Amino acid sequence: MKKDVLAYNVVFPMCMLYMGVLILPVLIIILFPLNFIVDRAMLFLLFFLLKLPDKKRLYKDMIAKTWGFGFLADFIASFIMTCIGSELDRMIPSFNMYSNTSWKEPNLFLFITAGIALAGALIYVFQRKFVLKEIALEERQKHRLALGMAILTAPYMMYLPPI
């Protein structure tokens, strides 16, 4: 019997890939705004922590790209984790990617941690290469802002067991 795939992210459940058009409108109504709110809050927090000038202009220049590329990073990491995890489930009998006990199984905990780190790394790269490319900040400020977004918006909810 084939296992159901239930992997999810901070605000982006992997099941969206499998449910298709039927539930997509409902998920978009909930997930897109929630992801936007998280990205917005983290941007403002970082603007104040890093004492960046002209916060309103920076926000206007960054929010749409930050939100879009953050979602893309989460999607890519979730997709890669699902593909690799499905293969590991087949190859290693003791490996259960969709277990409800991810904190008790070291191999699963490390696998999920790697997925979260991958999403964070992608967020950092996308921030540096696409979001902050034309923003008038010093390189050190760009690095700190991208790193802060990567750390603060990484999909830590992946540690929670599937519903």
Side-chain angles (χ1 to χ4, degrees), residues 16-43:
M16 278 180 61
L17 294 175
Y18 304 105
M19 291 184 190
V21 184
L22 298 175
I23 199 162
L24 189 61
V26 174
L27 292 174
I28 288 173
I29 290 170
I30 295 168
L31 296 177
F32 282 19
L34 187 57
N35 197 332
F36 184 82
I37 291 167
V38 169
D39 286 347
R40 177 184 173 153
M42 294 305 107
L43 272 179

Side-chain angles (χ1 to χ4, degrees), residues 56-114:
K56 287 182 182 180
R57 181 189 56 79
L58 282 174
Y59 173 76
K60 285 181 181 181
D61 291 346
M62 291 180 62
I63 189 61
K65 287 182 182 178
T66 295
W67 177 63
F69 283 112
F71 227 92
L72 179 63
D74 293 349
F75 177 82
I76 291 169
S78 296
F79 182 77
I80 290 171
M81 276 189 65
T82 299
C83 292
I84 293 171
S86 296
E87 286 303 311
L88 288 174
D89 278 347
R90 282 186 219 136
M91 293 173 16
I92 305 169
S94 65
F95 186 88
N96 182 4
M97 181 175 153
Y98 312 109
S99 170
N100 289 332
T101 59
S102 62
W103 289 99
K104 295 177 184 174
E105 300 175 29
N107 59 350
L108 183 57
F109 179 79
L110 292 174
F111 179 74
I112 293 170
T113 301

Side-chain angles (χ1 to χ4, degrees), residues 47-60:
F47 290 166
F48 284 103
L49 289 176
L50 299 174
K51 298 176 181 146
L52 298 178
D54 202 6
K55 294 166 184 57
K56 287 182 182 180
R57 181 189 56 79
L58 282 174
Y59 173 76
K60 285 181 181 181

